[in-house]
Amino acid sequence: VLQNPILIDFGENPTPLPFNSFVNPTVPLNNLIDKIGNSTYFNIEATTGFNLLNRREISNVLGFPESVCDDMFFRDGNNPAQSRGAFKVSNMNTTMKYTFIFYGAINDSNTGTHFTVTGINSGAGDLKNDFNTDKVVIINAIALCV
């Protein structure tokens, strides 16, 4: 049973603990740790390809290390062949419901990300990424498939 949040940074520049640094989208990240360093045995993997993008001009007021804003896994919504990216999270407790919180930022204009989390049920939300210092998307009560 998950007692503490799991923090994941997506991008090639590692972020210090307690973040799990997902630095290479072609290599799954296994045995994620929670915010206080406990092993969760949860895994995450990219199920689509991603580009890597570095933009080092944004900070945040959420208390995240600056390295969270430095880089990202990236899909180009203007290119239909690259408009969607996906991840699979595994080894989670199927009797629980989970909350997913997403943050993203880029030093660009007119950008956004549509997040969808799917299990037995699903939830979705949109995030405007332009120079984002404090906005998140929260998707609550997702029950996982067996």
Side-chain angles (χ1 to χ4, degrees):
V1 175
L2 188 63
Q3 300 283 328
N4 301 289
I6 296 172
L7 305 170
I8 304 172
D9 178 25
F10 299 85
E12 62 188 337
N13 299 323
T15 295
L17 296 173
F19 277 83
N20 295 272
S21 293
F22 199 166
V23 297
N24 183 341
T26 65
V27 178
L29 192 56
N30 296 313
N31 195 21
L32 302 173
I33 61 162
D34 69 15
K35 189 174 181 177
I36 63 170
N38 296 319
S39 176
T40 66
Y41 304 105
F42 299 169
N43 305 319
I44 188 169
E45 64 181 299
T47 58
T48 61
F50 284 89
N51 297 316
L52 299 173
L53 184 64
N54 290 306
R55 302 264 175 120
R56 293 181 172 80
E57 299 171 12
I58 303 170
S59 58
N60 70 86
V61 297
L62 299 170
F64 297 149
E66 294 303 310
S67 55
V68 170
C69 301
D70 285 350
D71 55 358
M72 67 190 82
F73 293 175
F74 179 76
R75 298 286 290 190
D76 185 356
N78 293 321
N79 177 345
Q82 283 208 359
S83 63
R84 292 184 179 207
F87 297 92
K88 177 182 176 183
V89 180
S90 58
N91 290 347
M92 297 174 80
N93 187 330
T94 57
T95 65
M96 306 292 295
K97 291 184 178 179
Y98 292 91
T99 296
F100 294 82
I101 302 172
F102 298 98
Y103 169 75
I106 190 168
N107 57 349
D108 201 348
S109 298
N110 301 314
T111 64
T113 303
H114 179 76
F115 294 97
T116 303
V117 180
T118 303
I120 293 172
N121 61 329
S122 64
D126 293 303
L127 181 67
K128 184 176 179 184
N129 298 322
D130 303 355
F131 300 95
N132 180 18
T133 62
D134 62 353
K135 294 180 286 302
V136 297
V137 166
I138 301 173
I139 302 173
N140 289 306
I142 301 299
L144 302 175
C145 300
V146 177

